């Protein structure tokens, strides 16, 4: 029995499946046999997989090179009995670990949410009788009875169906319920085309059916997705990768330089204790104590900003990752589209019309040549729309301010399209009361309803269904004034083919008059003699704001790819409408679409090439979505994946950043994602990318601002040792500078507004280092200026006969003032603060004033003089300090201006080429 569960059940006849599973279509399994199989196969539930325990996850928060450096710094300062500094450093370590622990995604949540989707009751046949049991008790071989509203409890091979339609959108991406059948299918049929199967967690929307259980629990399709989620790798974000690499390099440099200084000092005959203290001072100087906390705080501020723009971040580094995104792989149904079927085109047998408005909201117009028909008498098109409303079992309702369809989405689209010409369902039902109906059956491919319009001579039958089926039953059509005329069957078929070629789902409509006394309706009544009323073509339309969002992505250098489970023709139509093809396809050319079958025939190398070159993928399975994301990552792309269905969850988890829809998204997708859009709006992603770029900008500004301080402090210590001079800065002074300036000055850059051109820049190349060559040179320049200013003023004070504590106080204040003025340089890495706005970030000015006040306390309060070995300084010293700081500000400003002027022509050429591409 166990080996049977791996068969391709859709390719086997239903009778053979029943025989293989040793069951019976009428009596099902016996109670004893069912209990035995439950013991053998286990409950019909997904196996919970054990994740890391809370203590291990907390411990792993300390497993980072920068944290190692901070712990060592804290231990050293504690050894020096600098208890305040040691407490601050360890406080930073603990806060950083606590924030990381709270923000970390727990992998088991996705699996638990997936398991909850399978919890329900179902009807099975046991010992020849229908029974309601928990879905957990279902076993292979059980015969399950399905009806409208049921959640499918396990994977079933259907052997009987009557008008059975199942919503599999969360599993396959199919935008409309799938009409099921029981016939045998080809072995190579992809998941979304296996119409003789019903899959666990999908929802029955219409009709009835019976099927035999072929897989339960982890063996179901949804169980296989659960395993894919568990196997998907946790991808490090660009920021975490770069910070980790930077931290390793910094760690080695600190150890090497401190060890070298210690050895050189001993070689020159200095005492071991003095050299040890010098090495400690150097190590403390080189450690950017504020960096881990700054990264966390800047990311947290980004989270708050994005929440205001309807994007909820579940994993903290995801904020920055969005700014690095090079490719967005998006699902179609419910992400790019409304997930609400909408009639786009109408043909009344004579004239073609279009509609305005999208979704289920009954707003919009019927258009002829772009002009609304409001008030214009058009009997023929009105008859077509009326037929769609009356031959209809669904309802259009308003709930909590939202328009929703109770019933089939396709029928809902017909109700809305009629409303746009003033044909309202409630009024029509009252004028044309229904007498009898023939429900839609897959064998006949149509639905018919009989209505009494109050005439003593006749009653009217309205029919809707497949185009070929309806046309072959029609004998005539209508002219624009609703008078009978000869039917041009070939032209109607040609129009239907054109509409289908646009990715539209096309239905035909007809009517027939029957004698007034008829109260029953049979298939023979509509077998011939129908009057053709027209066609309606519908589609799940793209969101208007999503079209603009795709354009914004293209302008920002981000490529958009559609990966969907829907049909290739529909996917291509939506892609062209949204210009995912970049508008590069000329009239008459065909947008390349790869399907799941195409991908099955490719090896890994071919898939990697296809993932890069192809923009639209259709009829793909969850495994193939996962393979495509991995293929893009193999080319060092930073991939954001959007989606809302269960089938999207593995790829969401694998992507560098997974983006789930908050309103229509499944719990499984939300738990697997890094970010959830509360408005289900693809356009929100553009806002999130903008915020992400702003976050990385501000992080870079902080790093460019803070590293010269550490490098300058190190240079001061090394220069003092090499020249045999007294140390201008003690370890306690270095810690004071690093911690106070990081909080009061550096952190203020976290509040820096986004620069105006931030979305005109291309995405950062994932292979580029954290800092560009130009920024590294600027850091070196400022470090040398800090060395010259602090060391020079220290020596000047000593030459003037000042006490060593006075000279060291001057050196400390020189460092702080240079950092303060340099902070205003760092508000933009390329522009002057006068360009971006002097007062656009008030927190910078507040921090600067607070820092000046704190330095007054540091310099003039006796308690601080005793604790930190400082002394009051003269007004002349302050003039020299501020003069040096101002000089540094103007030198850096000049350097930025020179670089900006050099880079301007290249930028202008790139922008012009982008404008040409967009045009």
């Amino acid at each position: 029995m166990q080996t049977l569960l791996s068969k391709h059940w859709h390719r086997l006849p239903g009778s053979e499946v029943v025989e293989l599973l040793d069951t019976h279509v009428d009596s099902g399994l016996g109670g004893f046999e069912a209990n035995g199989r439950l013991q053998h196969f286990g409950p019909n539930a997904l196996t919970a997989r054990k994740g890391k325990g809370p203590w291990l996850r907390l411990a792993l928060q300390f497993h980072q090179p920068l944290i190692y450096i901070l712990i060592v710094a804290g231990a050293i300062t504690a050894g020096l009995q600098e208890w305040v500094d040691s407490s601050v450093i360890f406080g930073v370590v603990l806060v950083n670990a606590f924030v990381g622990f709270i923000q970390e995604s727990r992998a088991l949540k996705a699996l638990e949410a997936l398991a909850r989707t399978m919890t329900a009751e179902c009807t099975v046949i046991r010992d020849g009788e229908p029974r309601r049991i928990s879905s957990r008790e279902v076993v292979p071989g059980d015969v399950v009875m399905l009806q409208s509203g049921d959640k499918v409890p396990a994977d079933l091979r259907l052997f009987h169906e009557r008008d059975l339609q199942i919503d599999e959108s969360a599993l396959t991406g199919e935008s409309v319920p799938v009409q099921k059948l029981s016939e045998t299918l080809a072995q190579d049929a992809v998941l979304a085309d296996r119409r003789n199967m019903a899959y666990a967690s999908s929802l029955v929307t219409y009709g009835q059916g019976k099927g035999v259980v072929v897989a339960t629990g982890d063996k179901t399709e949804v169980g296989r997705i659960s395993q894919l989620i568990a196997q998907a790798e946790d991808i490090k974000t660009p920021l975490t990768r770069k910070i980790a690499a930077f931290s390793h390099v910094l760690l080695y440099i600190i150890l090497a330089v401190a060890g070298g200084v210690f050895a050189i000092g001993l070689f020159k005959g200095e005492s071991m204790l003095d050299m040890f203290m010098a090495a400690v001072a150097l190590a403390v100087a080189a450690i950017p104590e504020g960096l881990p906390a700054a990264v966390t705080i800047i990311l947290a501020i980004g989270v708050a900003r994005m929440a205001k723009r309807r994007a909820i971040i579940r994993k903290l580094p995801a904020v920055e990752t969005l700014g690095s995104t090079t490719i967005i792989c998006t699902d179609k149904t419910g992400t790019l589209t409304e997930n609400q079927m909408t009639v786009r085109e109408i043909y009344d047998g004579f004239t073609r019309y279009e509609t305005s408005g999208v979704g289920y909201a009954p707003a919009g117009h019927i258009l002829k040549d772009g002009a609304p028909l409001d008030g214009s008498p058009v009997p023929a098109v009105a008859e077509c729309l009326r037929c769609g409303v009356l031959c209809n079992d669904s309802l259009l309702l308003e709930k909590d301010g939202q328009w929703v369809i109770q019933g089939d989405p396709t029928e809902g689209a017909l109700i809305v399209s009629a409303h746009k010409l003033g044909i309202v369902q409630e009024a029509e039902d009252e004028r044309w009361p229904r007498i009898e109906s023939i429900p839609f059956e897959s064998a006949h491919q149509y639905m018919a309803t009989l209505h009494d319009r109050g005439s003593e001579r006749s009653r009217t039958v309205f029919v809707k269904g497949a185009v070929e089926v309806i046309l072959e039953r029609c004998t005539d059509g209508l002219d624009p004034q609703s008078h009978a005329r000869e039917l041009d069957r070939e032209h109607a078929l040609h129009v239907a083919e054109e509409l289908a070629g646009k990715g539209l789902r096309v239905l035909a409509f007809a009517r027939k008059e029957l004698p007034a006394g008829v109260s029953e309706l049979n298939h023979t009544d509509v077998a011939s003699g129908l009057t053709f009323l027209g066609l309606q073509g519908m589609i799940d339309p793209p969101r208007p704001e999503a079209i603009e969002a795709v354009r914004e992505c293209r302008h920002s250098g981000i490529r958009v790819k559609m990966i969907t489970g829907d049909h290739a023709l529909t996917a291509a139509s939506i892609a062209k409408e949204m210009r995912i093809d970049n508008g590069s396809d000329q009239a008459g050319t065909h947008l390349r679409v790869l399907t799941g079958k195409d991908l099955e025939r490719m090896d890994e190398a071919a898939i990697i090439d296809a993932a890069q070159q192809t923009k639209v993928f259709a009829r793909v399975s969850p495994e193939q979505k996962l393979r495509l994301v991995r293929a893009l990552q193999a080319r060092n792309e930073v991939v954001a994946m959007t989606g809302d269905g269960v089938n999207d969850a593995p790829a969401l988890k694998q992507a560098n950043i997974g983006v789930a829809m908050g309103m229509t998204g499944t719990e499984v997708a939300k738990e697997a994602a890094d970010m959830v859009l509360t408005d289900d709006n693809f356009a929100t992603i553009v806002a999130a990318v903008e915020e992400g770029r702003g976050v990385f900008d501000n992080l870079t500004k902080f790093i460019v601002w803070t590293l010269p301080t550490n490098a300058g402090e190190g240079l001061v210590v090394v220069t003092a040792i090499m020249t045999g001079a007294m140390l201008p800065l003690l370890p306690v002074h270095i810690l004071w500078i690093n911690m106070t300036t990081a909080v009061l000055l550096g952190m203020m850059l976290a509040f820096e507004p986004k620069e105006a051109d931030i979305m005109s820049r291309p995405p950062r190349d994932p292979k580029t280092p954290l800092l560009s060559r130009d920024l590294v040179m600027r850091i070196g320049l400022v470090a040398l200026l800090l060395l010259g200013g602090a060391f020079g003023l220290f020596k000047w004070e000593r030459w003037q006969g000042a006490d060593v504590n006075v000279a060291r106080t001057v050196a400390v204040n020189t460092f702080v003032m240079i950092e303060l003025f340099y902070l205003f340089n760092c508000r933009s890495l390329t522009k002057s603060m006068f360009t971006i706005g002097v007062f656009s970030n008030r927190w910078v000015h507040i921090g600067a004033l607070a820092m000046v006040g704190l330095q007054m306390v540091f310099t003039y309060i006796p308690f601080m003089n005793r604790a930190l070995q400082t002394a009051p300084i003269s007004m002349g010293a302050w003039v020299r300090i501020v003069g040096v700081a101002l000089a540094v500000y103007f030198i850096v400003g000049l350097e930025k201006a020179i670089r900006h002027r050099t880079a301007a022509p290249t930028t202008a050429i790139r922008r012009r080429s982008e404008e040409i591409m967009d045009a």
Side-chain angles (χ1 to χ4, degrees):
M1 176 70 70
Q2 185 69 44
T3 57
L4 292 176
L5 298 186
S6 60
K7 282 187 173 291
H8 296 287
W9 299 105
H10 61 278
R11 71 179 179 86
L12 300 176
S15 58
E16 186 177 339
V17 173
V18 171
E19 184 179 342
L20 285 169
L21 292 170
D22 194 20
T23 186
H24 194 278
V25 295
D26 295 321
S27 59
L29 295 174
F32 181 79
E33 175 65 18
N35 287 333
R37 294 191 184 190
L38 185 60
Q39 294 296 320
H40 179 74
F41 292 107
N44 178 33
L46 301 182
T47 303
R49 288 165 174 82
K50 190 174 182 180
K52 298 182 181 78
W55 288 109
L56 177 58
R57 285 188 283 108
L58 179 60
L60 288 174
Q61 302 303 317
F62 299 94
H63 184 51
Q64 304 171 41
L66 271 182
I67 299 299
Y68 297 156
I69 297 173
L70 282 179
I71 292 173
V72 170
I76 291 172
T77 51
L80 296 171
Q81 297 187 355
E82 300 293 343
W83 304 116
V84 173
D85 298 318
S86 180
S87 299
V88 170
I89 293 173
F90 280 123
V92 168
V93 171
L94 291 173
V95 168
N96 186 70
F98 179 73
V99 171
F101 179 75
I102 295 300
Q103 291 287 344
E104 186 182 79
S105 171
R106 286 173 283 186
L108 284 178
K109 280 191 175 182
L111 302 174
E112 290 167 0
L114 198 53
R116 288 195 295 271
T117 68
M118 296 185 63
T119 303
E121 284 193 340
C122 62
T123 302
V124 300
I125 299 177
R126 295 263 178 97
D127 295 315
E129 296 180 358
R131 295 183 186 175
R132 291 290 290 177
I133 64 172
S134 167
S135 62
R136 290 178 59 88
E137 299 173 18
V138 170
V139 296
D142 260 327
V143 174
V144 177
M145 302 173 67
L146 298 174
Q147 61 182 6
S148 181
D150 285 349
K151 181 181 284 188
V152 180
D155 287 0
L156 312 178
R157 170 62 167 90
L158 300 170
F159 58 78
H160 171 75
E161 41 72 33
R162 182 178 179 185
D163 310 327
L164 182 64
Q165 296 180 25
I166 297 181
D167 181 1
E168 296 177 344
S169 60
L171 189 65
T172 66
E174 182 78 61
S175 54
V176 295
V178 179
Q179 183 74 40
K180 292 296 182 178
L181 47 78
S182 55
E183 285 81 4
T184 304
L185 299 176
Q187 181 171 336
D188 63 352
V190 297
L191 183 70
D193 291 333
R194 295 175 188 173
R195 297 173 62 192
N196 59 7
M197 299 290 295
Y199 293 107
S201 80
S202 58
L203 186 67
V204 179
T205 61
Y206 191 79
Q208 299 174 334
K210 284 185 183 179
V212 59
V213 175
V214 296
T216 59
D218 292 335
K219 300 295 183 182
T220 62
E221 286 296 323
V222 78
R224 205 162 45 78
I225 291 174
S226 168
Q227 293 168 3
L228 291 174
I229 294 173
Q231 293 166 7
E233 302 170 16
D234 285 319
I235 302 297
K236 285 188 175 181
T237 68
L239 179 66
T240 54
R241 287 199 303 265
K242 290 172 181 177
I243 289 289
F246 170 73
S247 302
H248 280 101
V249 171
L250 186 60
L251 178 62
Y252 299 144
I253 291 175
I254 290 171
L255 295 176
V257 174
V261 166
F262 182 76
I264 291 171
L266 291 181
F267 179 76
K268 293 179 66 175
E270 302 289 345
S271 74
M272 183 176 290
L273 180 60
D274 288 345
M275 285 303 95
F276 178 74
M277 292 303 297
V280 167
L282 180 58
V284 171
I287 296 170
E289 290 90 349
L291 184 56
V295 170
T296 300
I297 291 169
I298 291 174
L299 290 178
I301 291 171
V303 167
R305 284 179 173 176
M306 293 174 85
K308 292 178 181 177
R309 302 186 75 170
R310 301 181 184 274
I312 304 300
I313 298 297
R314 300 183 66 250
K315 301 177 183 179
L316 202 56
V319 181
E320 182 276 332
T321 309
L322 274 165
S324 308
T325 299
T326 58
I327 289 179
I328 297 176
C329 295
T330 175
D331 184 35
K332 179 185 72 68
T333 307
T335 306
L336 291 174
T337 64
E338 298 278 359
N339 203 15
Q340 297 181 353
M341 294 297 286
T342 302
V343 172
R344 277 289 183 80
E345 293 196 39
I346 304 165
Y347 170 67
D348 64 3
F350 193 82
T351 307
R352 291 173 68 165
Y353 303 88
E354 296 178 342
T355 69
S356 62
V358 295
Y360 294 147
H365 305 279
I366 307 298
L367 309 174
K368 181 181 178 181
D369 299 326
L373 291 181
D374 301 353
S376 305
V378 192
V381 72
E383 285 298 304
C384 179
L385 295 171
R386 180 175 291 109
C387 179
V389 167
L390 293 173
C391 190
N392 199 309
D393 286 331
S394 299
L395 295 173
L396 176 64
L397 306 172
E398 187 176 14
K399 292 183 178 179
D400 301 324
Q402 298 286 328
W403 289 96
V404 296
I405 292 298
Q406 182 176 300
D408 183 81
T410 299
E411 292 191 328
L414 300 176
I415 298 171
V416 174
S417 68
H419 204 291
K420 293 174 182 178
L421 199 64
I423 300 173
V424 181
Q425 185 181 33
E426 293 80 1
E428 294 301 313
D429 286 340
E430 190 173 330
R431 286 179 55 215
W432 299 74
R434 184 186 294 190
I435 306 301
E436 177 65 295
S437 67
I438 299 175
F440 181 90
E441 293 182 6
S442 55
H444 297 100
Q445 294 291 301
Y446 65 79
M447 173 184 176
T449 55
L450 176 64
H451 299 264
D452 184 358
R453 59 176 179 174
S455 171
E456 296 180 356
R457 291 182 298 173
S458 65
R459 286 179 171 175
T460 305
V461 180
F462 288 107
V463 189
K464 76 168 189 286
V467 176
E468 295 83 356
V469 173
I470 300 299
L471 281 173
E472 71 183 11
R473 287 167 165 76
C474 292
T475 55
D476 59 8
L478 297 179
D479 66 14
Q481 300 306 314
S482 198
H483 300 134
R485 70 175 182 87
E486 184 181 354
L487 173 63
D488 188 345
R489 186 176 281 101
E490 292 302 316
H491 186 257
L493 283 171
H494 176 71
V495 171
E497 288 174 3
E498 282 190 358
L499 296 179
K502 296 179 180 180
L504 302 181
R505 185 181 186 185
V506 186
L507 291 179
F509 302 84
R511 76 180 184 198
K512 182 179 181 179
E513 300 298 322
L514 294 180
V518 174
S519 59
E520 293 185 359
L521 189 62
N522 300 306
H523 289 289
T524 54
D525 295 323
V526 293
S528 62
L530 302 183
T531 297
F532 178 69
L533 300 178
L535 307 172
Q536 294 192 52
M538 64 201 72
I539 197 170
D540 179 16
R543 299 169 181 265
E545 64 272 19
I547 297 174
E548 174 63 19
V550 169
R551 191 197 67 78
E552 280 287 327
C553 287
R554 189 166 62 250
H555 181 65
S556 303
I558 300 168
R559 288 172 288 160
V560 179
K561 296 179 183 289
M562 182 193 294
I563 304 178
T564 179
D566 212 338
H567 294 282
L569 202 59
T570 305
S573 175
I574 295 295
K576 283 199 169 187
E577 192 166 348
M578 303 201 69
R579 299 194 70 191
I580 285 178
D581 60 351
N582 287 5
S584 58
D585 289 316
Q586 302 300 319
T589 63
H590 180 65
L591 174 67
R592 185 190 185 204
V593 179
L594 286 180
T595 65
K597 286 185 179 180
D598 298 326
L599 296 175
E600 282 178 0
R601 295 190 287 267
M602 294 182 182
D603 58 20
E604 289 304 314
I607 282 188
I608 289 174
D609 288 338
Q612 282 286 335
Q613 298 168 9
T614 307
K615 300 184 180 78
V616 182
F617 300 86
R619 289 321 240 184
V620 294
S621 66
E623 295 100 324
Q624 289 167 340
K625 287 189 178 186
L626 192 59
R627 287 180 73 192
L628 287 169
V629 171
R630 286 174 173 165
L632 291 168
Q633 289 171 337
R635 289 283 178 89
N636 295 314
E637 303 286 0
V638 178
V639 182
M641 173 75 190
T642 74
D644 60 353
V646 174
N647 60 323
D648 299 319
L652 287 174
K653 186 164 183 281
Q654 175 68 37
N656 299 84
I657 176 163
V659 184
M661 304 297 116
M663 295 173 66
T664 58
T666 61
E667 284 302 311
V668 183
K670 293 175 193 174
E671 293 295 342
D674 304 282
M675 183 174 82
V676 178
L677 306 182
T678 60
D679 58 357
D680 283 17
N681 193 337
F682 182 83
T684 303
I685 297 175
V686 177
V689 168
E690 185 180 12
E691 291 296 342
R693 291 187 175 190
V695 164
F696 190 86
D697 240 18
N698 290 347
L699 276 172
T700 305
K701 291 170 186 175
F702 177 86
I703 293 170
V704 171
W705 172 83
T706 195
L707 288 187
T709 304
N710 301 108
E713 290 164 344
L715 287 173
V716 166
V717 173
V718 170
T719 302
I721 292 170
M722 293 302 180
T723 59
M726 186 177 294
L727 283 176
L729 301 172
L730 297 175
V732 68
H733 296 151
I734 292 170
L735 282 169
W736 171 268
I737 294 169
N738 291 354
M739 299 308 294
T740 57
T741 57
V743 172
L744 294 179
L745 299 180
M747 289 301 177
M748 301 304 108
L749 291 172
F751 302 98
E752 195 63 39
K754 297 177 292 293
E755 295 184 30
D757 65 344
I758 198 165
M759 290 300 285
S760 300
R761 309 171 193 169
R764 295 186 311 279
D765 186 339
K767 292 176 288 192
T768 58
L770 187 62
L771 300 173
S772 67
R773 182 176 63 88
D774 289 349
L775 293 180
V776 171
M777 292 179 67
R778 184 178 301 165
I779 290 168
L781 170 65
V782 178
L784 290 172
L785 293 173
L786 280 164
L787 167 65
F791 200 85
L793 290 182
F794 173 81
K795 297 297 288 185
W796 172 269
E797 294 296 331
R798 293 294 288 157
W799 286 336
Q800 297 300 310
D803 179 75
V804 67
N805 285 350
V806 171
R808 282 173 171 161
T809 304
V810 168
V812 170
N813 279 302
T814 301
F815 258 90
V816 170
M817 288 300 117
I818 290 176
E819 283 191 78
L820 190 153
F821 280 88
Y822 179 52
L823 179 71
F824 290 94
N825 289 121
C826 290
R827 290 190 56 203
S828 173
L829 297 175
T830 57
K831 304 180 185 71
S832 163
M833 73 169 176
F834 298 102
T835 302
I836 62 173
V838 176
F839 299 103
S840 58
N841 182 2
R842 63 189 178 94
W843 291 103
V844 168
H845 301 280
I846 292 171
L849 290 173
M851 191 71 242
V852 170
L854 195 59
Q855 284 308 110
M856 294 300 105
V857 172
F858 172 86
T859 305
Y860 295 109
I861 299 299
F863 168 76
M864 298 295 286
N865 296 154
R866 291 191 298 272
L868 301 178
Q869 301 179 49
T870 61
I873 60 176
S874 66
M875 182 57 67
W878 278 114
V879 171
R880 289 187 289 274
I881 289 169
V882 172
V884 168
L886 269 173
V888 171
Y889 172 80
F890 285 116
I891 291 170
V892 174
L894 180 63
E895 181 262 350
K896 282 202 295 185
I898 293 171
R899 292 194 187 280
H900 180 66
R901 191 176 297 113
T902 305
T906 305
T907 305
I909 291 170
R910 182 182 64 79
R911 286 181 180 171
R912 178 58 184 155
S913 65
E914 286 176 354
E915 289 170 2
I916 293 170
M917 273 283 291
D918 248 358

